Amino acid sequence: TDVFFEEAIIWMGRQLGKDTPFFCFLPTNTPHSPHWVPAEYRESMEEAFREAEAAGAVPTLPPAKRASLISYLGMIRNIDDNFGKLDAFLHESGAFDDTIVVFLTDNGSTFAPDYYTAGMRGRKTQLWEGGHRVPLFVRWPGGGLGQPRDVDGLVQVQDLAPTLLGLAGVDPEPDPEWDGIDLGPVLREESEVPPERMLVINYSRMPHAFEYPAPDSPSRMRREGAAVLWKRWRLLEDRELYDLET
């Protein structure tokens, strides 16, 4: 993570030195197994975790899972520190107000049911909210996006391409048929996410070893393995219907 951020900042500095617009995609490979993290982060998180345990704020976990979670949280703290370095670079280079920054994660947590669920059920690879609902932060101080706030409505990762092109004033040729929508007007408080929007999600259940070639392998996507998202409703696997408000 340190290397990814350091190299990204060096590269962005070069583009700014040439007065060149840039796009930087920075996908970290943490937090993730095998949970390698610098000792300073593991040790500081171990201390914080002991304090939380003493206060009864975290559950009692088996030793191996506890150690993995501490390293996992240490990785998150390391990402936080590196994001702070990125912010400092944008300030010092004078690019802060003119740079669109997007932060999101790729899936729900693997540790959520054992630690912090944010009120959601499920984890990575599962269709409940905890498996696919993730944070998405968009910041552009000079872009007229309005005051910091939560935005309601169903949005998804395929919205990012049309949104970023729209915010940057780029008209691709020929006109593509987007699977996503341009959220620029939503971010500028000019409109809302279309309330009737419906999303369907489905994905492989990560086969391992002998599961892969089998006809009933979880890697084979099936109609009944999907989730339909519409307003406050969630239809999962064609057999479970949830009203998120209740």
Side-chain angles (χ1 to χ4, degrees):
T1 302
D2 293 342
V3 173
F4 287 178
F5 273 86
E6 288 169 5
E7 292 297 324
I9 288 171
I10 291 171
W11 180 83
M12 284 185 275
R14 290 176 184 152
Q15 311 316 305
L16 292 171
K18 296 182 289 188
D19 197 25
T20 303
F22 65 86
F23 173 81
C24 178
F25 176 48
L26 206 171
T28 67
N29 59 359
T30 63
H32 202 282
S33 60
H35 302 138
W36 293 335
V37 63
E40 61 185 287
Y41 288 97
R42 185 175 59 254
E43 291 165 2
S44 66
M45 192 55 65
E46 170 76 46
E47 181 179 351
F49 207 82
R50 279 199 303 269
E51 293 174 359
E53 286 175 320
V58 295
T60 301
L61 299 173
K65 182 169 285 189
R66 180 183 182 277
S68 291
L69 177 57
I70 287 171
S71 293
Y72 182 86
L73 296 174
M75 289 176 172
I76 295 174
R77 178 171 286 182
N78 175 248
I79 293 172
D80 288 347
D81 283 354
N82 276 287
F83 223 94
K85 292 175 184 177
L86 174 60
D87 260 10
F89 161 75
L90 293 174
H91 276 292
E92 293 163 3
S93 66
F96 186 85
D97 288 343
D98 295 328
T99 302
I100 302 168
V101 174
V102 178
F103 174 88
L104 75 161
T105 64
D106 61 344
N107 50 246
S109 175
T110 52
F111 277 102
D114 299 314
Y115 180 61
Y116 175 69
T117 65
M120 297 182 291
R121 181 181 181 183
R123 66 175 78 199
K124 175 180 177 178
T125 77
Q126 296 180 335
L127 291 172
W128 294 299
E129 294 292 283
H132 61 81
R133 186 175 181 179
V134 299
L136 169 63
F137 299 95
V138 182
R139 184 187 69 199
W140 187 17
L145 302 187
Q147 294 299 310
R149 66 200 182 280
D150 290 335
V151 175
D152 292 327
L154 284 174
V155 299
Q156 49 124 358
V157 68
Q158 288 177 324
D159 297 333
L160 288 180
T163 298
L164 290 173
L165 288 172
L167 292 176
V170 176
D171 294 319
E173 294 289 346
D175 276 345
E177 293 185 12
W178 297 112
D179 290 313
I181 62 175
D182 181 357
L183 299 173
V186 177
L187 296 173
R188 292 193 176 103
E189 299 185 275
E190 298 167 356
S191 66
E192 297 181 350
V193 178
E196 291 295 328
R197 189 179 200 193
M198 182 180 292
L199 301 177
V200 179
I201 60 173
N202 201 344
Y203 45 77
S204 162
R205 269 42 170 206
M206 295 184 172
H208 296 283
F210 65 88
E211 294 178 335
Y212 183 73
D216 60 348
S217 167
S219 68
R220 297 180 183 271
M221 291 190 288
R222 295 172 173 80
R223 176 187 176 91
E224 64 273 15
V228 180
L229 289 58
W230 180 62
K231 297 185 176 181
R232 67 180 193 270
W233 300 97
R234 301 292 184 267
L235 176 63
L236 310 187
E237 298 184 335
D238 203 26
R239 61 189 174 90
E240 299 178 12
L241 179 65
Y242 296 94
D243 177 355
L244 295 185
E245 291 185 3
T246 59

